[in-house]
Amino acid sequence: MSDPIAEAIARLRARQGPQAAALAEPSQQALRMAEALLFAASEPLDAETLAARLPAGTDIPATIARLQEKYADAGVRLSEVGGRWRFETAPDLAHLLAEIREEPKKLSQAALETLSIIAYHQPVTRAEIEEIRGVAVSKGTIDLLFELKWIRLRGRRRSPGRPVTFGTTDTFLEYFGLAAITDLPGLGDLKAAGLLSSRLPANFDIPDPARLADNEDPLDDEDSAHFHLDFLEGAEE
């Protein structure tokens, strides 16, 4: 039978590259230190942050895997979100916190559709969102998604007008409990839920949101500062 812990360590090491194989098995002290860091952190921690605070040479994938094993049946568990790790309540105990959790602002149908299109088709421009939805995207919808910190400006398309492109954020992954953007529900599920139009382009896919597309340039600070002016000007055309 396969060893799930060994498999988890192998997957984590593969993400860190070949140098991870030479690292030492974590000591009990390293495990305790990592546990304390993850419990106290206000946001998920990545491998680089943990490595900087743990004893030199600590095997981070093995450390994560050992802690995941330790908390597998506990009231909290160590989960991966967006390539980083955090402790969260076990899913079967979530109802215990239902009365004290702050309810997020309810999204309109337009905001849900816009967020879904950005998540599944990033990098995507406002014009492309409108083409898929078949209606104009209001500034209020975009502002709300920015306020929630679920979307971000990615870059500028290498096309006439140099429109800005949108993508999702790590906060989006954290809120929905996704380890990576590829963990999103299938397109069929979203269509069935009425979150996506049936008028999807043939090349509709899920690219890697961490990388700029071939036809996309990164934004500079001045671009970001003038984004809302660009958006308003485009909406008035």
Side-chain angles (χ1 to χ4, degrees):
M1 295 180 62
S2 60
D3 182 350
I5 297 302
E7 292 178 355
I9 293 174
R11 288 195 299 270
L12 291 167
R13 281 178 173 167
R15 296 181 187 178
Q16 286 195 288
Q19 70 276 11
L23 298 177
E25 186 73 7
S27 64
Q28 185 62 31
Q29 180 66 2
L31 288 172
R32 294 179 66 240
M33 292 171 65
E35 186 177 40
L37 288 168
L38 289 160
F39 262 124
S42 60
E43 59 184 12
L45 301 180
D46 56 26
E48 291 74 17
T49 300
L50 288 170
R53 288 170 167 76
L54 297 180
T58 298
D59 189 331
I60 301 302
T63 300
I64 293 295
R66 298 302 177 195
L67 290 177
Q68 287 178 321
E69 178 187 25
K70 176 180 178 179
Y71 287 92
D73 299 317
V76 295
R77 67 177 186 177
L78 185 58
S79 299
E80 181 184 2
V81 287
R84 300 183 294 170
W85 290 271
R86 68 179 180 188
F87 279 109
E88 61 182 31
T89 305
D92 61 311
L93 300 178
H95 65 280
L96 297 175
L97 306 179
E99 294 184 359
I100 63 174
R101 288 188 59 185
E102 181 180 352
E103 288 295 322
K105 186 180 295 185
K106 186 175 181 179
L107 295 183
S108 66
Q109 183 71 10
L112 284 172
E113 291 180 358
T114 300
L115 178 63
S116 299
I117 291 169
I118 292 173
Y120 279 88
H121 202 45
Q122 57 190 304
V124 61
T125 65
R126 179 171 61 87
E128 291 164 345
I129 296 171
E130 292 175 343
E131 179 182 359
I132 294 170
R133 290 194 62 229
V135 295
V137 178
S138 73
K139 179 178 179 296
T141 296
I142 294 293
D143 282 345
L144 173 58
L145 297 177
F146 271 115
E147 179 184 335
L148 293 170
K149 299 181 180 179
W150 286 352
I151 65 171
R152 65 185 175 90
L153 299 179
R154 285 180 49 113
R156 284 192 178 276
R157 183 82 77 213
R158 295 174 188 166
S159 61
R162 304 278 292 159
V164 295
T165 56
F166 301 98
T168 53
T169 64
D170 286 343
T171 302
F172 168 83
L173 297 178
E174 292 167 16
Y175 182 85
F176 290 100
L178 302 172
I181 199 68
T182 49
D183 290 337
L184 283 166
L187 297 182
D189 295 332
L190 289 177
K191 287 181 186 178
L195 299 181
L196 284 180
S197 166
S198 59
R199 297 175 57 256
L200 295 177
N203 64 342
F204 198 79
D205 56 9
I206 307 175
D208 181 356
R211 298 189 308 170
L212 289 171
D214 292 338
N215 62 343
E216 183 185 23
D217 290 321
L219 287 176
D220 55 30
D221 292 340
E222 184 176 353
D223 272 331
S224 298
H226 288 84
F227 161 68
H228 287 291
L229 290 177
D230 291 343
F231 187 93
L232 288 171
E233 290 172 357
E236 293 171 354
E237 291 177 356

